[in-house]
Amino acid sequence: MTSQALTLSRESTSTAGTTRLLRTGEIKKVVVIGIGNSGGDIAVELSKVTKQLYLSTRRGAWIFNRLSDKGFPSDLLINRLMILLWSVLPFGLSCSLAERRLNQKLDHSLYNLKPKHRIFSQHPTVNDELPNRILSGTVQVKPNIRRFQ
């Protein structure tokens, strides 16, 4: 079998169309480039039908679940928490507290996810299934791609 390259693009390829292609068993390894919300969603869906999926990230990302403590939506809780923390604490201390809390659920350093930026500096990746896929090994996080062969 000849090696195949797969290019994923939000504009040109739908996840459902790609999943139908992969169910034929033609592609065993996939690389998803980018760990934003779309990249995370695509990685989760494709990891269900490929033998191995690599998720490449240049800078890492903070991964949030949609559901927070006691069933509250995490974005609602985070927005209220940010307003409270920023009104009382300096930015760096607010970030440290939130990063510690998030790392209690998933150690971002251990799984090559820890970003170079602070938690409130950029938009986080929101995905419920991605941490489970990473922990089970069906998605492997890799640093920035240097070259294709």
Coordinates of all heavy atoms in Angstrom, one line a residue, residues 106-145:
L106 N -6.7 17.5 34.8 CA -5.8 17.0 33.8 C -4.5 17.8 33.8 O -4.5 19.0 33.6 CB -6.4 17.3 32.4 CG -5.6 16.9 31.2 CD1 -5.5 15.3 31.1 CD2 -6.2 17.4 29.9
D107 N -3.4 17.1 34.1 CA -2.1 17.7 34.2 C -1.6 18.0 32.8 O -1.2 17.2 32.0 CB -1.1 16.8 34.9 CG 0.2 17.4 35.1 OD1 0.5 18.5 34.5 OD2 1.0 16.9 36.0
H108 N -1.7 19.3 32.4 CA -1.4 19.7 31.0 C 0.1 19.5 30.7 O 0.4 19.2 29.5 CB -1.8 21.2 30.9 CG -3.2 21.4 30.8 ND1 -4.1 21.2 31.8 CD2 -4.0 21.8 29.7 CE1 -5.3 21.4 31.4 NE2 -5.3 21.8 30.2
S109 N 1.0 19.6 31.6 CA 2.4 19.3 31.4 C 2.7 17.9 31.1 O 3.4 17.5 30.2 CB 3.3 19.7 32.6 OG 3.2 21.1 32.8
L110 N 2.0 17.0 31.8 CA 2.2 15.6 31.6 C 1.8 15.1 30.2 O 2.4 14.1 29.7 CB 1.4 14.8 32.7 CG 1.6 13.3 32.8 CD1 3.1 12.9 33.2 CD2 0.7 12.7 33.9
Y111 N 0.9 15.7 29.6 CA 0.3 15.2 28.3 C 0.7 16.2 27.2 O 0.0 16.2 26.2 CB -1.2 15.0 28.4 CG -1.5 13.9 29.4 CD1 -1.9 14.2 30.7 CD2 -1.3 12.6 29.0 CE1 -2.2 13.1 31.6 CE2 -1.6 11.5 29.9 CZ -2.0 11.8 31.1 OH -2.3 10.8 32.0
N112 N 1.8 17.0 27.3 CA 2.3 17.9 26.3 C 1.2 18.9 25.9 O 1.2 19.3 24.7 CB 2.7 17.1 25.1 CG 3.9 16.2 25.3 OD1 4.8 16.6 26.1 ND2 3.9 15.1 24.7
L113 N 0.4 19.3 26.8 CA -0.7 20.3 26.5 C -0.4 21.7 27.0 O -1.0 22.6 26.6 CB -2.0 19.8 27.1 CG -2.6 18.6 26.4 CD1 -3.8 18.1 27.2 CD2 -3.1 19.0 25.0
K114 N 0.5 21.8 28.0 CA 0.7 23.0 28.7 C 1.1 24.1 27.7 O 2.2 24.0 27.1 CB 1.7 22.9 29.8 CG 1.8 24.2 30.6 CD 2.7 24.1 31.8 CE 2.7 25.4 32.5 NZ 3.7 25.6 33.4
P115 N 0.3 25.1 27.6 CA 0.7 26.2 26.6 C 1.7 27.2 27.2 O 2.0 27.2 28.4 CB -0.7 26.9 26.4 CG -1.4 26.7 27.6 CD -1.0 25.3 28.2
K116 N 2.3 27.9 26.3 CA 3.2 29.0 26.6 C 2.6 30.2 27.2 O 3.2 31.0 27.9 CB 4.1 29.3 25.4 CG 4.9 28.2 24.9 CD 5.6 28.5 23.6 CE 6.4 27.3 23.1 NZ 7.0 27.5 21.8
H117 N 1.3 30.3 27.0 CA 0.5 31.5 27.5 C -0.2 31.2 28.8 O -0.4 30.0 29.1 CB -0.4 32.0 26.4 CG -1.5 31.0 26.0 ND1 -1.3 30.1 25.0 CD2 -2.7 30.7 26.5 CE1 -2.3 29.3 24.9 NE2 -3.2 29.7 25.8
R118 N -0.6 32.2 29.5 CA -1.3 32.0 30.7 C -2.8 31.7 30.4 O -3.3 32.0 29.3 CB -1.3 33.3 31.6 CG 0.1 33.7 32.0 CD 0.9 32.6 32.8 NE 0.3 32.1 34.0 CZ 0.5 32.5 35.2 NH1 1.4 33.5 35.4 NH2 -0.1 32.0 36.2
I119 N -3.5 31.2 31.3 CA -4.8 30.7 31.1 C -5.9 31.7 30.6 O -6.7 31.4 29.8 CB -5.4 30.0 32.4 CG1 -6.6 29.1 32.0 CG2 -5.7 30.9 33.5 CD1 -6.9 28.1 33.1
F120 N -5.7 33.0 31.1 CA -6.7 34.0 30.7 C -6.2 34.9 29.6 O -6.8 35.9 29.3 CB -7.1 34.9 31.9 CG -7.8 34.1 33.0 CD1 -7.4 34.2 34.3 CD2 -8.9 33.3 32.7 CE1 -8.1 33.5 35.3 CE2 -9.5 32.5 33.7 CZ -9.2 32.7 35.0
S121 N -5.0 34.5 29.0 CA -4.4 35.3 27.9 C -5.0 35.0 26.5 O -5.0 35.9 25.7 CB -2.9 35.1 27.9 OG -2.3 35.5 29.0
Q122 N -5.5 33.8 26.3 CA -6.1 33.4 25.0 C -7.3 32.5 25.3 O -7.5 32.0 26.4 CB -5.0 32.7 24.2 CG -3.9 33.5 23.7 CD -3.0 32.8 22.8 OE1 -3.3 31.7 22.3 NE2 -1.9 33.4 22.5
H123 N -8.1 32.4 24.2 CA -9.3 31.5 24.3 C -8.9 30.1 24.6 O -8.0 29.5 23.9 CB -10.1 31.6 23.0 CG -11.4 31.0 23.1 ND1 -11.6 29.7 22.9 CD2 -12.6 31.5 23.3 CE1 -12.9 29.4 23.0 NE2 -13.5 30.5 23.3
P124 N -9.5 29.4 25.5 CA -9.2 28.0 25.8 C -9.9 27.1 24.8 O -10.8 27.5 24.1 CB -9.8 27.8 27.2 CG -10.9 28.7 27.3 CD -10.5 29.9 26.5
T125 N -9.4 25.8 24.8 CA -10.1 24.8 24.0 C -11.2 24.1 24.9 O -10.8 23.7 26.0 CB -9.1 23.8 23.5 OG1 -8.1 24.4 22.7 CG2 -9.8 22.6 22.8
V126 N -12.4 24.1 24.4 CA -13.5 23.5 25.2 C -13.9 22.2 24.6 O -14.3 22.2 23.4 CB -14.7 24.5 25.3 CG1 -15.8 23.8 26.1 CG2 -14.3 25.8 25.8
N127 N -13.6 21.1 25.3 CA -13.9 19.8 24.7 C -14.0 18.8 25.9 O -13.1 18.7 26.7 CB -12.8 19.4 23.8 CG -13.2 18.2 22.9 OD1 -13.6 17.1 23.4 ND2 -13.1 18.4 21.6
D128 N -15.1 18.0 25.9 CA -15.3 17.1 27.0 C -14.6 15.7 26.7 O -14.1 15.1 27.7 CB -16.8 16.8 27.2 CG -17.6 18.0 27.7 OD1 -17.0 18.7 28.5 OD2 -18.7 18.2 27.3
E129 N -14.5 15.3 25.5 CA -14.0 14.0 25.2 C -12.5 14.0 25.0 O -11.8 12.9 25.1 CB -14.6 13.5 23.9 CG -16.0 13.0 24.1 CD -16.5 12.3 22.9 OE1 -16.0 11.2 22.5 OE2 -17.5 12.8 22.2
L130 N -11.9 15.1 24.6 CA -10.4 15.1 24.2 C -9.5 14.6 25.4 O -8.7 13.8 25.1 CB -10.0 16.5 23.8 CG -8.6 16.6 23.3 CD1 -8.3 15.7 22.1 CD2 -8.3 18.1 22.8
P131 N -9.7 15.1 26.6 CA -8.9 14.5 27.7 C -9.0 13.0 27.8 O -8.0 12.3 28.0 CB -9.4 15.2 29.0 CG -10.0 16.5 28.5 CD -10.6 16.1 27.1
N132 N -10.2 12.4 27.7 CA -10.3 11.0 27.8 C -9.6 10.3 26.6 O -9.0 9.2 26.8 CB -11.8 10.6 27.7 CG -12.5 11.1 28.9 OD1 -12.0 11.3 30.0 ND2 -13.8 11.4 28.8
R133 N -9.7 10.8 25.4 CA -9.0 10.3 24.3 C -7.4 10.3 24.5 O -6.7 9.4 24.1 CB -9.4 11.0 23.0 CG -10.8 10.8 22.6 CD -11.0 9.5 22.0 NE -12.4 9.2 21.9 CZ -12.9 8.0 21.4 NH1 -12.0 7.1 21.1 NH2 -14.1 7.8 21.4
I134 N -7.0 11.4 25.0 CA -5.5 11.5 25.3 C -5.1 10.6 26.3 O -4.1 9.9 26.2 CB -5.2 13.0 25.7 CG1 -5.4 13.9 24.5 CG2 -3.7 13.1 26.2 CD1 -5.3 15.4 24.8
L135 N -5.8 10.4 27.4 CA -5.5 9.5 28.5 C -5.5 8.1 28.0 O -4.7 7.2 28.5 CB -6.5 9.7 29.7 CG -6.4 11.0 30.4 CD1 -7.5 11.2 31.4 CD2 -5.0 11.2 31.1
S136 N -6.4 7.7 27.1 CA -6.5 6.3 26.6 C -5.5 6.0 25.6 O -5.3 4.9 25.2 CB -7.9 6.1 26.1 OG -8.2 6.8 24.9
G137 N -4.8 7.1 25.0 CA -3.8 6.8 24.0 C -4.3 6.8 22.6 O -3.5 6.7 21.7
T138 N -5.6 7.0 22.4 CA -6.1 7.0 21.0 C -5.8 8.4 20.3 O -5.7 8.4 19.1 CB -7.6 6.8 20.9 OG1 -8.3 7.8 21.7 CG2 -8.0 5.4 21.4
V139 N -5.5 9.4 21.1 CA -5.0 10.7 20.6 C -3.6 10.9 21.3 O -3.6 10.9 22.5 CB -5.9 11.8 20.8 CG1 -5.3 13.2 20.5 CG2 -7.2 11.6 20.1
Q140 N -2.6 11.1 20.5 CA -1.3 11.5 21.1 C -1.0 12.9 20.7 O -1.0 13.3 19.5 CB -0.2 10.5 20.6 CG -0.3 9.1 21.1 CD 0.8 8.3 20.7 OE1 1.9 8.7 20.3 NE2 0.6 7.0 20.8
V141 N -0.6 13.7 21.7 CA -0.3 15.1 21.4 C 1.2 15.2 21.1 O 2.0 14.7 21.9 CB -0.6 16.0 22.7 CG1 -0.3 17.4 22.4 CG2 -2.1 15.8 23.0
K142 N 1.5 15.9 20.0 CA 2.9 16.0 19.6 C 3.2 17.5 19.4 O 2.3 18.3 19.1 CB 3.1 15.3 18.2 CG 2.9 13.8 18.3 CD 4.0 13.2 19.1 CE 3.9 11.7 19.1 NZ 4.9 11.0 19.9
P143 N 4.5 17.9 19.6 CA 4.8 19.3 19.4 C 4.7 19.7 18.0 O 4.4 18.8 17.1 CB 6.2 19.4 20.0 CG 6.8 18.0 19.9 CD 5.6 17.1 20.1
N144 N 5.0 20.9 17.7 CA 5.0 21.4 16.3 C 5.7 20.5 15.3 O 6.8 20.0 15.6 CB 5.6 22.8 16.4 CG 5.3 23.6 15.1 OD1 4.3 23.4 14.5 ND2 6.1 24.6 14.9
I145 N 5.1 20.3 14.2 CA 5.6 19.5 13.1 C 6.8 20.3 12.5 O 6.6 21.4 12.1 CB 4.5 19.2 12.1 CG1 3.5 18.3 12.7 CG2 5.2 18.5 10.8 CD1 2.3 18.0 11.8

